[in-house]
């Protein structure tokens, strides 16, 4: 058989050379298109279900959230096993599927099951899926070099401008922000004044929520022109929160300012991000989508950063502190507007 194959090849040299050249060209094209990654993805095929129920103890979270979700998710097809972890105010469930299962098929099955069991969970609790990335999906870390700008403003810049711009890059699953302060209005209530005015904390919360919304009206036609009527009631300042009425006592309105103080502050933090011992920093983590080419995604993110940098405040720059690209030459790369 081998002799006949060799004999046929010798008689048809042109065909053999043509096939060899075709295989050679196909190999070169395949190498160029082959995904390049410094860290191979050996993680399991998993879907993460995250549930937040702030202020509750781990045992309560385990009994009322983690256990019901785990018992219901175990019946999904092509599942290997389900892992779970309960902590203060949060529940994490890791649904591990078989290796040959498409990750987006698995996510749709989990989401389908969650829609049927969410009604059995405590009021206000809404399970959500984690990003469609993997355990080695962190391909780029960056911080904002913003001298003279406080950490709260930097975090707002990251959350409301940089994050949304970089999330549009093909292959990016999520931009996870870190560091700084997330701004919020805080109402500090004096319990003695609550008792004096015969008010409760739920009444204060309800009043603030009721005065921070917008409602629509109807279309009003006048002189052949249609006008859309609406009422805008979103709170925009500390003064507006202080003037919210809570109740009426002898014809005198009791306001939020009468029972406490209102201030702009940052959300309670459980840690800080320090950059090379030079102080706190604000930045983000680029999480790559499942099955993407890490090298190509990193290059696209860097190109997008050059575009985003043009809209940053004067003096603000990008510092890339971790780059998984194979052409990374240094730990710190600066990208800024020209």
């Amino acid at each position: 058989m081998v002799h006949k194959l060799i004999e046929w090849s010798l008689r048809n040299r042109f065909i053999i050379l043509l096939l060899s050249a075709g295989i050679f060209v196909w190999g070169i094209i395949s190498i160029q298109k082959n995904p390049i990654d410094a860290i191979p993805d050996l993680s399991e095929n998993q879907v993460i279900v995250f549930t937040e129920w702030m202020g509750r103890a781990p045992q309560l979270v385990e009994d009322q959230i983690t256990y019901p979700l785990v018992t219901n998710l175990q019946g999904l097809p092509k599942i290997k096993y389900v892992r779970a972890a309960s902590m203060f105010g949060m529940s994490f469930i890791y649904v591990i599927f078989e290796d040959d299962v498409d990750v987006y098929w698995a996510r749709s099955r989990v989401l389908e099951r969650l829609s049927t069991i969410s009604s059995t969970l405590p009021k206000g609790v809404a399970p959500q899926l984690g990003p469609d990335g993997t355990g080695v999906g962190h391909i780029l870390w960056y911080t904002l070099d913003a001298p003279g700008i406080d950490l709260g403003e930097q975090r707002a810049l990251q959350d409301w401008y940089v994050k949304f711009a970089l999330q549009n890059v093909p292959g990016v699953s999520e931009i996870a922000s870190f560091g700084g302060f997330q701004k919020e209005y805080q109402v500090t209530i004096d319990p003695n004044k609550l008792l004096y005015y015969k008010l409760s904390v739920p009444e204060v919360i309800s009043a603030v929520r009721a005065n921070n919304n917008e409602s629509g009206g109807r279309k009003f036609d006048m002189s052949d022109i249609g006008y859309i009527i609406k009422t805008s009631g979103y709170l925009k300042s500390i003064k507006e929160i202080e003037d919210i009425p809570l109740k009426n006592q002898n014809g005198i309105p009791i306001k939020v300012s009468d029972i406490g103080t209102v201030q702009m502050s940052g959300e309670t933090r459980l840690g800080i991000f320090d950059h090379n011992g030079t102080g706190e920093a604000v930045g983000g983590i680029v999480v790559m989508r499942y099955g993407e080419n890490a090298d190509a995604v990193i290059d696209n993110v860097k190109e997008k950063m050059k575009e985003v940098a043009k809209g940053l405040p004067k003096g603000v720059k990008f510092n890339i502190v971790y780059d998984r690209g194979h052409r990374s030459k240094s730990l710190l790369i600066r990208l800024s507007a020209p």
Side-chain angles (χ1 to χ4, degrees), residues 164-176:
F164 294 147
L166 296 182
Q167 276 184 339
N168 292 327
V169 176
V172 173
S173 172
E174 180 188 23
I175 303 295

Side-chain angles (χ1 to χ4, degrees), residues 58-112:
Q59 186 60 50
L60 186 60
V61 173
E62 173 74 21
D63 295 339
Q64 298 197 27
I65 295 179
T66 304
Y67 179 77
L69 289 177
V70 168
T71 53
N72 281 275
L73 290 174
Q74 283 178 338
L76 290 175
K78 298 184 180 181
I79 277 186
K80 293 171 66 176
Y81 40 82
V82 179
R83 299 171 180 164
S86 301
M87 57 188 68
F88 180 76
M90 291 178 287
S91 169
F92 291 90
I93 299 174
Y94 305 89
V95 185
I96 313 299
F97 286 84
E98 296 177 2
D99 295 336
D100 59 344
V101 174
D102 179 72
V103 64
Y104 295 105
W105 181 90
R107 290 173 65 86
S108 64
R109 297 287 77 75
V110 173
L111 193 60
E112 184 182 76

